[in-house]
Amino acid sequence: MHTLKIKNIETEIIHVNHRGNWLFVKLHAEDGTTGIGEASHGRDDERVKHLIDTLKPDIIGVNVFELEAFRRRFFRESEGHTYHTAFSGIEQAMWDLVGKALDVPSYQLLGSKCRNRIRLYANINRATLDRSPNGFARNAEQASAEGFTAIKCAPFDGVSVSDVSKGTLTSAIRLGIDRIRAIRAAIGSEIDLMVDCHSRFNSGLIIQTAKALDDLNLFWIEDPVPLTDLDAVAHVSQSTSMPIATGERLRTLTEFDQLLKRGRVDYILPDVKHVGGLLGLKKIAILAETTNVKVTPHNPSGPIATAASVQCMASVPNFGILEYAWGEVDWRSTLVDPPEQIIDGFIELSTRSGLGISLKSLKTKSS
C-alpha cells in the first residue's frame, strides 16, 4: 500500500477584483512535495482560512492516498458552504500529491481520459463593467475573437422581486433581453450563447421571457428559478424550447440526486470548489450519467480550480462544457506554470503529474 503523509498546510489569498479573491491551498507532504488546491468563493475567505487552520491538527499525518476515507471522515453533508469550500480545497491538493507521487496525471486515477481537450465557455459577466447592451456586446465580441465558441452572460441582474411580482416583462427584464440580442448580433449565429438568470424569476415570468428569446437559439437558460422549488424547475424545463442548466448552489450527493430525479434539467453545474473536490465532482457526474444529464461545471474560478475541473472532466463521459472566468485579470497566466493553454476555445489536457500545474511565487499578487 502506498503511503504519503501530510506534514503541513498553508493558505494564501490573492486579491482579484471587486467580485472577490482566489484562495489557494498548499499541502506539504513528508517527502517534500507540495500539492495545490483552490478554496475560493467560500463567501468568507477569512472563515475558510480559519476552518482550514482548525482542521490542520487532524489533517497532519493523513495518508493522501486514502481519499475516500478522508472524504468519509471530513465531508459532512450537514455542513455549510464555507466548510465544504475549505474541505474541497484540501481534497484537490491531495489529488495533486497522489498524482505527483505516482507520476501520473489525476485523470489517470479517475478512470483515464475520454478526451484530449476540454471545451470552454467564456463567462463575460464579471469583466463587463459597462452594463449597457453595447458593453455586453463588446466583451462577447472580444471573447469570440479570442477563439471562444461559447459565451455566457448574466443580463438580468437588475431584475428585482418587484419586477417579478408584476407578472409582465418590465423595463428591467426588457433591458436584459436587449443585452442578449446585442450579444447575438455581435457574435453571429454560430457561437453558442448561454444566459444566466441567477434565480431571479418565477416560473410564469421566465417562460414568458424565454418565449421572447426563442428566435436566438440559446444554448441554455441557467438558474431560471430558485432550486427551493424543484417542481417549478421541472415546469420551466418542460415549458421552454431551450435547455435548462442549474445546480451551482448545490454541494451534496443528496441534493444533486433530488435535482436529477425531480428537476428534469438538461445540464447540471457542480463546482469542484464546493462539492468535495475531484472525488465529489466525479460522484455527481456518475449520478448524472444515469439520467443522461450533461455535467457542465460551475467554474468562475482561478487557474487551480480550472485545472482540477479539467482533470476530472477529462474522465467523465457525460461532460458537456466548462466555465471559464474570462477577462477578470490580465495577470492570471503569471500565477501558474505552465500557463493555461487555450486554443480555439478549448483548454488542452495536461499530461503532467497531478493537476498538471504548479504555483509560481504569489507574493506580488497577494492582498
Side-chain angles (χ1 to χ4, degrees), residues 106-230:
S106 297
Y107 68 73
Q108 197 70 48
L109 305 172
L110 287 162
S112 196
K113 62 181 177 177
C114 304
R115 53 191 63 83
N116 293 315
R117 58 182 191 162
I118 295 291
R119 190 183 180 206
L120 303 175
Y121 67 83
N123 182 348
I124 65 169
N125 196 52
R126 296 187 178 194
T128 304
L129 301 181
D130 176 359
R131 308 297 283 182
S132 69
N134 284 340
F136 275 90
R138 276 195 301 272
N139 275 351
E141 195 170 24
Q142 180 61 39
S144 174
E146 292 174 12
F148 287 92
T149 59
I151 291 164
K152 185 171 87 176
C153 62
F156 294 115
D157 288 1
V159 176
S160 66
V161 174
S162 63
D163 288 300
V164 175
S165 66
K166 290 171 184 170
T168 186
L169 301 186
T170 63
S171 58
I173 295 171
R174 291 192 181 281
L175 174 59
I177 293 171
D178 289 344
R179 290 163 170 165
I180 300 165
R181 290 197 172 279
I183 292 172
R184 177 55 87 200
I187 63 177
S189 60
E190 298 301 310
I191 302 295
D192 286 322
L193 178 57
M194 297 91 153
V195 172
D196 189 349
C197 300
H198 286 155
S199 304
R200 291 176 180 270
F201 289 80
N202 60 30
S203 56
L205 195 52
I206 192 60
I207 291 167
Q208 281 187 59
T209 304
K211 282 185 169 66
L213 298 168
D214 260 344
D215 61 308
L216 296 185
N217 190 30
L218 298 181
F219 190 85
W220 76 44
I221 290 181
E222 179 178 332
D223 284 344
V225 295
L227 283 178
T228 49
D229 186 350
L230 291 179

Side-chain angles (χ1 to χ4, degrees), residues 301-360:
S301 312
I304 299 177
T306 299
S309 299
V310 165
Q311 289 290 320
C312 187
M313 288 300 105
S315 76
V316 169
N318 52 320
F319 164 72
I321 193 168
L322 176 64
E323 181 172 16
Y324 185 81
W326 179 85
E328 280 205 274
V329 288
D330 58 10
W331 42 261
R332 177 181 174 120
S333 63
T334 69
L335 292 180
V336 292
D337 182 37
E340 294 161 327
Q341 298 294 312
I342 300 174
I343 302 169
D344 297 331
F346 287 80
I347 190 165
E348 300 298 306
L349 179 62
S350 171
T351 57
R352 290 168 49 140
S353 62
L355 299 186
I357 58 172
S358 59
L359 272 174
K360 295 182 180 180

